[in-house]
Amino acid sequence: MAKQFDVVVIGAGPGGYIAAIRAAQLGMTVACIDAWRTADGKPAPGGTCTNVGCIPSKALLQSSEHFEQVNHHFADHGIKVKGVDLDLQTLVGRKDQVVKQNNEGILYLFKKNKVTFFNGIGSFSAYVDGGWNIKVSGPAEEDLVAKHVIVATGSSPRALPGLAFDEKKILSNDGALSLTSVPKKLGVIGAGVIGLELGSVWRRLGAEVTVLEAMPDFLPAADQQVAKEALKAFTKQGLKIVTGVKIGEIKASGKTVKVPYTDSSGAEQSIEVDNLIVSIGRVPHTEGLGVETVGLKLDERGFVAVDDDCKTNLPNVWAVGDVVRGPMLAHKAEEEGVAVAERIAGQFGHVNFGTIPNVIYTSPEIAWVGRTEQQLKTEGVDYKAGSFPFMANGRARALGDTTGFVKVLADAKTDEVLGVHIVGPMASELIAEAVTIMEFRGAAEDIARICHAHPTLSESMKEAALAVDKRTLNF
Ligand code: FAD
Ligand code: NAI
């Protein structure tokens, strides 16, 4: 006898598990199916984000930053440390523990919210009498029937044509988070978010890192003033970033990987590295879902096709997160998951794509929300800009981390904040204030009139807002 649910969610990444919890909070009977398992066969809900994405990368970024600090910056504070050793096994083991705590946390949340969890592959089998038949294939086979289905099956790393990931020499994010020794030379293809974050991790731990990027500009989606400042800082740290390249035929035989490429001047170049991270974007994951069985429509790039409300072409079938259009970010997936659960319950869930923050957790951190200066120029928007450097911020000086600045862009007539761009310490935390202001459609003057604690990095946000009106107090 098939088990009946109001909602079955396929995928327990940030899109799926949050949708399941919200639907259960709203009084529906909910099941969530997820295929991820640990090497020793235990269920590992949390998706890419928890297992091989946001969480483990931030754990490694933190540990490697400590290593960088003790080796290169403690002496500035008068702390002399001799004989610093790297125990990579413990460092990576700690990351694995952080992941495990998050997996267990999600299982606890499912219990707490009465979400029934199935560890296995979920696939559509039929639509009968207004209900979706979903098969779970895993350690225990199950047949479920759902009034509503939320597809949250996420994404997978994109490989270069003809160069499969072996996770030993040719690494996706998965292998790049679990190396057992620090490579002497590491190559990275793609200077996007993964390339910069994981390239930074292994550089800090001692690798000589070269990042090869196809686009002529560095971080074209970021504000170009921010991108320039970040590139300067990364280069100073020893991260070699080459833009405008065309990658040739990669040879991964023997001990090293040879990467030939044509540089922006047209000259033939090549690097020989111990390991190569390929981080050239991700592709939607719909394998095993039974898309053809029920005629779930995909778009030309393989994403599940959805409307603005995350509705698919099938009745009562919704899709959220990386498997649908829009930025591949955990918080975007979560917002969509909540909104869909609320729509199923007859409420008016909403996701504001204009206020989704972007963060790159390098050092300096990069964070932004809203439009860049180049976008405003292209769109012909009349705007004012105000910037404030961390060099002039007391807290940043005390921290010993004065790289970068905050920039506020506001409408020239109404003063409404249109974009905020930060490169510098704790940008990931500072951006939340800008998101709040923009969500309330506030003005630069609103930020400027808010009392900010002293001494904090957040005073730089207030000063940048004052600079929009040409009246900074501390610069
Ligand atoms: P996923 O997290 O991919 O989850 C999908 C789940 O569905 C998986 O568990 C999968 O096993 C399961 N599944 C798939 N098909 C089936 C099926 N048929 N049956 C059952 N289960 C199935 N984003 C940020 O916002 N901040 C960050 O700092 C950040 N860092 C990242 C670092 C790295 C290295 C990577 C790779 C990504 C990072 N991201 C980050 C992106 C973030 O991980 C994704 O945007 C997010 O995980 C998407 O969530 P999702 O729920 O859509 O899909
Ligand atoms: P990305 O889209 O951020 O960057 C890929 C880069 O590879 C681009 O700069 C692109 O121009 C380049 N590229 C593509 N093909 C190439 C080729 N053949 N040769 C050389 N360069 C090439 O993708 P990435 O870094 O793989 O990350 C995937 C997704 O994961 C991103 O969309 C991001 O949203 C998410 N993510 C988010 C993080 C965060 O929020 N902090 C951290 C890590 C990942």
Side-chain angles (χ1 to χ4, degrees):
M1 178 75 181
K3 293 180 175 143
Q4 311 266 336
F5 293 93
D6 294 327
V7 179
V8 168
V9 184
I10 307 180
Y17 92 79
I18 289 292
I21 290 173
R22 184 70 188 122
Q25 282 177 347
L26 290 164
M28 293 176 261
T29 55
V30 183
C32 185
I33 311 166
D34 189 88
W36 213 297
R37 247 170 255 156
T38 58
D40 54 354
K42 297 208 175 77
T48 302
C49 170
T50 301
N51 292 296
V52 291
C54 324
I55 301 300
S57 60
K58 266 78 257 179
L60 292 189
L61 278 157
Q62 188 61 55
S63 300
S64 60
E65 182 60 18
H66 285 322
F67 191 63
E68 174 99 339
Q69 289 292 327
V70 76
N71 278 316
H72 301 291
H73 303 292
F74 272 21
D76 300 341
H77 296 259
I79 304 167
K80 293 189 177 156
V81 186
K82 285 197 191 106
V84 177
D85 272 339
L86 178 68
D87 173 357
L88 188 63
Q89 208 183 337
T90 302
L91 189 150
V92 172
R94 174 188 171 275
K95 177 264 300 178
D96 293 338
Q97 276 306 312
V98 173
V99 168
K100 191 164 166 255
Q101 285 163 3
N102 280 271
N103 296 141
E104 286 166 358
I106 295 167
L107 288 170
Y108 160 78
L109 290 171
F110 280 160
K111 256 200 194 121
K112 183 181 160 207
N113 289 283
K114 301 193 174 48
V115 173
T116 309
F117 177 64
F118 296 99
N119 188 214
I121 295 174
S123 54
F124 286 97
S125 45
Y127 186 58
V128 182
D129 298 333
W132 289 102
N133 290 8
I134 306 287
K135 192 170 182 54
V136 184
S137 326
E141 304 260 312
E142 299 276 356
D143 287 307
L144 316 180
V145 176
K147 285 187 204 148
H148 290 264
V149 179
I150 304 176
V151 175
T153 50
S155 64
S156 321
R158 185 151 79 89
L160 277 168
L163 190 74
F165 296 112
D166 63 11
E167 303 300 359
K168 287 190 175 74
K169 288 278 166 206
I170 310 298
L171 312 170
S172 71
N173 53 296
D174 195 348
L177 289 161
S178 295
L179 285 171
T180 49
S181 61
V182 179
K184 205 162 168 298
K185 291 188 176 183
L186 174 70
V188 180
I189 304 204
V193 202
I194 295 181
L196 293 174
E197 290 188 357
L198 296 183
S200 293
V201 164
W202 294 106
R203 182 204 59 74
R204 291 171 192 168
L205 297 179
E208 192 184 301
V209 181
T210 307
V211 187
L212 301 174
E213 166 59 45
M215 298 296 279
D217 292 330
F218 178 62
L219 287 179
D223 190 276
Q224 280 307 288
Q225 203 185 340
V226 165
K228 230 179 239 163
E229 181 81 4
L231 182 60
K232 203 167 69 187
F234 298 150
T235 306
K236 198 169 153 209
Q237 291 162 5
L239 201 61
K240 189 172 173 207
I241 298 170
V242 191
T243 56
V245 308
K246 190 168 184 313
I247 304 292
E249 195 188 335
I250 296 173
K251 292 215 168 68
S253 52
K255 280 197 168 156
T256 58
V257 183
K258 288 192 187 115
V259 186
Y261 67 92
T262 313
D263 70 17
S264 56
S265 72
E268 299 296 323
Q269 308 279 358
S270 117
I271 53 168
E272 192 167 350
V273 293
D274 302 299
N275 302 88
L276 182 71
I277 299 177
V278 178
S279 47
I280 55 168
R282 296 177 63 83
V283 290
H285 182 100
T286 52
E287 215 183 293
L289 188 59
V291 167
E292 306 80 18
T293 316
V294 287
L296 180 64
K297 193 174 161 208
L298 306 184
D299 70 14
E300 62 288 351
R301 294 186 303 152
F303 289 90
V304 175
V306 287
D307 66 9
D308 288 350
D309 288 344
C310 290
K311 276 189 187 136
T312 70
N313 64 313
L314 301 176
N316 296 343
V317 178
W318 312 72
V320 301
D322 279 12
V323 80
V324 305
R325 84 285 173 265
M328 287 185 166
L329 295 171
H331 40 284
K332 175 265 194 184
E334 291 181 18
E335 292 300 309
E336 286 183 334
V338 168
V340 163
E342 292 179 350
R343 282 174 201 137
I344 291 173
Q347 299 184 357
F348 299 93
H350 176 66
V351 182
N352 182 357
F353 273 69
T355 55
I356 295 174
N358 285 278
V359 179
I360 307 178
Y361 296 81
T362 42
S363 178
E365 290 189 344
I366 299 166
W368 75 91
V369 59
R371 283 174 283 174
T372 60
E373 256 196 279
Q374 61 266 24
Q375 277 172 326
L376 294 174
K377 279 188 185 134
T378 311
E379 290 167 21
V381 177
D382 196 9
Y383 69 93
K384 299 176 284 182
S387 295
F388 188 81
F390 285 109
M391 188 65 89
N393 174 277
R395 184 68 186 279
R397 284 198 210 114
L399 288 171
D401 194 354
T402 52
T403 311
F405 57 85
V406 178
K407 177 158 90 174
V408 174
L409 304 172
D411 187 280
K413 282 196 199 77
T414 65
D415 199 36
E416 179 177 352
V417 177
L418 303 174
V420 174
H421 304 270
I422 311 174
V423 53
M426 302 306 281
S428 56
E429 300 292 339
L430 295 173
I431 200 66
E433 177 179 10
V435 176
T436 309
I437 280 287
M438 286 185 64
E439 195 58 53
F440 284 96
R441 299 199 59 183
E445 190 186 351
D446 291 323
I447 305 178
R449 287 193 180 277
I450 292 169
C451 179
H452 290 68
H454 176 76
T456 59
L457 297 169
S458 73
E459 288 171 289
S460 301
M461 181 77 76
K462 179 186 175 103
E463 291 278 1
L466 282 166
V468 168
D469 200 27
K470 297 193 173 40
R471 53 187 183 102
T472 48
L473 297 164
N474 284 287
F475 187 59

